[in-house]
Amino acid sequence: MRLSDFNYDLPTELIAQHPLANRTDSRLLEVKSNGDLLDHQFKDILNLIKPGDLLVFNDTKVIPARLHGKKETGGIVELLIERISGDKQAWVQIRASKVPKTGSIVHIHNQAGETFPVEMIGYDGRFYEVRFPENVFALLERFGELPLPPYIEHQPDGEDAKRYQTVVAKNPGAVAAPTAGLHFDEQILAQLHQLGAQIATVTLHVGAGTFTPVREEDLSKHKMHHEWFSIPQATLDAMKKTQDQGGRIVAVGTTSLRALESHALTGQKSGETNLFITPGFQFKTVNCLLTNFHLPKSTLLMLVSAFAGMDNIRNAYQYAIAQKYRFFSYGDAMFLCRLENTHL
């Protein structure tokens, strides 16, 4: 596989900058396994989900992961949490004219004029490890800013604070939303339950690495970022019951899918995963996938191409652009069912 196989041209006006008035107002593109494309409104998900299906959501909660500060020399620094590695430690991305050296101190500040020191303690070649003076979550609540994706151009506001979280979010730790879940509100969840579908959750804390560009043309050389996941026993039990009764496992988002397929490969119910899914991957658990439209040359575009077929996804994206679907985090959704021959 080559990186250039997963490129496409997207008009910038199709990048959704704000959510629609209601979560369920989005459009939904159904991509059938034979390549047929059907336009829906998101509420039509009630016609695509069948009684006995199990929808698996990611219940991670986005944390205020962006921090602003200064080096001891006075230079401006921006830190973005990549993942939290301990009570007082985290891996971060750093934006600065010159990155602080290991052992140096960065002074983080907020609009109230409060400050605290962060110590630079390590570097793994991609991310920097830093030490906080007290609990990371507590300091982020006081000093952090909601980390909207780089392609959303406005500063986060009250609307984002509400709408860049799913209605099932409860476990803090993500620095990006599991965006397929953003389309659901409480009413449609209740309607799915009335339909006879079941709902379960996993937790996968989406890391900033999800936005890191793939720089290797030869995809076999790409090093996937790590993300922490956990699957409750109740979800595993619900999956087994669904499969035994002939129902489908529907992953709500690529993060739910990666957690479930990581478990299928390793048997682990929790831990870190760096599962990199490209065409040829043999899916073991997930039958259908609800997902948003993904960036060109991204690992997520590679994942959906593996799941639904490269030609099907390429054609679907061309169609979505022509029909002016809205792209990325605040954009529209796709409903995909797995190809039996996942190498196609």
Side-chain angles (χ1 to χ4, degrees), residues 254-265:
T254 56
T255 57
S256 295
L257 181 147
R258 288 183 68 238
L260 296 176
E261 295 295 338
S262 293
H263 168 73
L265 280 173

Side-chain angles (χ1 to χ4, degrees), residues 57-63 84 137 165-176 178 201-206 228-232:
F57 287 78
N58 183 0
D59 65 7
T60 188
K61 186 175 182 180
V62 181
I63 57 177
I84 293 171
F137 288 110
Q165 299 279 12
T166 67
V167 295
V168 301
K170 66 177 184 179
N171 291 315
V175 302
T201 60
V202 299
T203 303
L204 184 144
H205 291 323
V206 190
W228 184 88
F229 76 97
S230 178
I231 305 177

Side-chain angles (χ1 to χ4, degrees), residues 8 37 312-323 327:
Y8 67 93
L37 303 172
N312 286 350
I313 292 297
R314 188 177 293 115
N315 292 336
Y317 272 59
Q318 290 175 350
Y319 177 83
I321 291 169
Q323 297 300 315
F327 275 62

